[in-house]
Amino acid sequence: MYSIYHFFKSVVDKKGQLRTVEDLRLFPFDNSLLSCRSDGKFPDIALRLNKHREDFSGGELIEIKDSKSYSIPSFNSTLPTGSKKISEIVGSESDIKHQMEKAEDDIFSLVDRDVYYFIRGWKKGNLKVCLVHGSFFETVRVEELIKGAFAQVLEERLKETGEKLPDEVKAKLVSIFSKQNNFKKVRDVQKASVKLRFRIMTEVKSEGNVLNSKQYRDILDNSLNLIVPCHDLDEEKLQDERMEEVFGKKRLSNLHRVKVKHPLNGYFIAFQTLI
């Protein structure tokens, strides 16, 4: 079986090494759970698919973020989201595609993949490690986030130049620049001796920083946490049932379970163990 819950269990089994491994990417992950690994390109890890389990589909995408503080490093180029379409990740001849095929995954049988971020932060000899669902950071859809940022740029430039545009024209201009994929391409301008590529970098505010002790007091120092959405009672029950199936009742009782209130995105459940 392959899923984010099985992946978390495999990390719990080796949690002591979270203190000793210098680079989180070098953590001894259970390779039998993985369909691919990537160096410097999203995702760092993808889990294998389960062919006959709708409740445990597997296939989650994981990005690793390692920090020497309780600040989360910037997200470069790929904005944090709760899910991504696999077609945006897998190119026709990409190494990721070849690895997934070698793992015998039917890649496009699961179009939308849940995204998780595996985050480690250090502060004064203490550490926090969180495997957190991407919706923790995506309180505004990516398209709306980019549109909102460009709307601010447009308003600043109009104010600086003294020019005015009708609201419908401004809305149209902002809407044109709402797709992240357009920024990934290298632009080759005629007669220019250099090529140009815009990069979108995302910095986490205090409201979204799961390592922030003032904002999220229940995420303790020296703890490992799986943080999953819990926006209604049905989702909460489902998360508990999945964890119980993977860990078993006895072992699950050794994990601390706490509901975490995100100020902008409702409740999440944290399953926590001390390191």
Side-chain angles (χ1 to χ4, degrees):
M1 287 287 291
Y2 321 109
S3 74
I4 199 67
Y5 309 93
H6 295 85
F7 179 82
F8 179 65
K9 180 176 179 290
S10 73
V11 176
V12 171
D13 290 341
K14 302 174 182 177
K15 62 182 181 179
Q17 296 188 56
L18 291 167
R19 283 191 171 277
T20 58
V21 66
E22 184 174 347
D23 185 335
L24 193 54
R25 288 178 175 81
L26 301 178
F27 185 84
F29 298 110
D30 184 349
N31 288 326
S32 69
L33 300 175
L34 311 184
S35 68
C36 81
R37 298 188 69 160
S38 179
D39 185 14
K41 185 177 181 181
F42 182 89
D44 291 307
I45 293 172
L47 302 186
R48 298 178 67 180
L49 292 170
N50 295 306
K51 296 180 179 179
H52 306 295
R53 288 292 299 267
E54 291 185 4
D55 53 342
F56 284 104
S57 61
E60 292 91 345
L61 309 174
I62 302 171
E63 181 169 354
I64 296 172
K65 311 295 286 184
D66 207 3
S67 175
K68 297 300 183 184
S69 70
Y70 278 177
S71 296
I72 298 176
S74 299
F75 297 87
N76 299 331
S77 299
T78 303
L79 275 70
T81 59
S83 66
K84 282 189 178 294
K85 294 191 178 300
I86 193 62
S87 59
E88 297 176 5
I89 306 301
V90 177
S92 59
E93 296 298 327
S94 70
D95 179 59
I96 289 176
K97 180 174 184 289
H98 293 319
Q99 288 188 57
M100 289 181 171
E101 289 174 340
K102 189 174 181 180
E104 299 183 346
D105 271 350
D106 183 2
I107 299 172
F108 297 101
S109 65
L110 185 62
V111 175
D112 295 309
R113 303 292 187 95
D114 277 350
V115 178
Y116 282 80
Y117 296 88
F118 191 44
I119 301 167
R120 180 177 68 171
W122 293 89
K123 186 175 182 180
K124 297 180 179 178
N126 296 311
L127 78 159
K128 294 182 182 182
V129 184
C130 297
L131 181 60
V132 56
H133 192 268
S135 60
F136 198 89
F137 305 109
E138 190 187 14
T139 56
V140 175
R141 290 192 311 114
V142 167
E143 290 81 3
E144 295 302 317
L145 179 63
I146 297 174
K147 283 170 64 175
F150 270 97
Q152 293 179 15
V153 173
L154 180 59
E155 289 296 340
E156 287 175 6
R157 286 297 296 144
L158 291 175
K159 185 176 181 180
E160 290 168 358
T161 61
E163 297 182 53
K164 293 186 178 181
L165 291 175
D167 288 343
E168 60 270 20
V169 175
K170 289 192 288 186
K172 184 67 174 177
L173 287 172
V174 168
S175 180
I176 288 172
F177 293 102
S178 64
K179 300 296 182 183
Q180 184 186 355
N181 285 343
N182 296 125
F183 296 94
K184 293 182 177 180
K185 297 178 181 178
V186 176
R187 304 299 175 178
D188 190 355
V189 178
Q190 191 174 8
K191 295 185 179 181
S193 61
V194 296
K195 295 180 180 180
L196 185 65
R197 179 167 69 92
F198 294 97
R199 294 183 67 190
I200 293 180
M201 297 181 65
T202 312
E203 297 181 0
V204 178
K205 297 165 62 176
S206 60
E207 293 89 342
N209 183 1
V210 69
L211 305 179
N212 185 333
S213 300
K214 292 182 179 179
Q215 188 72 58
Y216 300 105
R217 298 179 185 275
D218 290 312
I219 307 302
L220 303 177
D221 285 340
N222 305 309
S223 68
L224 166 63
N225 306 266
L226 172 64
I227 302 174
V228 290
C230 170
H231 297 315
D232 56 50
L233 291 177
D234 289 338
E235 191 170 30
E236 181 175 0
K237 181 181 178 182
L238 181 61
Q239 301 291 10
D240 287 335
E241 289 174 348
R242 288 174 173 174
M243 286 292 290
E244 183 175 321
E245 179 170 342
V246 172
F247 279 82
K249 280 187 177 181
K250 184 177 180 179
R251 192 171 183 193
L252 183 59
S253 67
N254 293 325
L255 298 181
H256 181 51
R257 178 192 183 280
V258 61
K259 290 182 74 172
V260 176
K261 178 67 166 63
H262 192 298
L264 302 173
N265 206 18
Y267 282 97
F268 289 73
I269 299 177
F271 296 96
Q272 182 180 93
T273 180
L274 296 180
I275 303 171

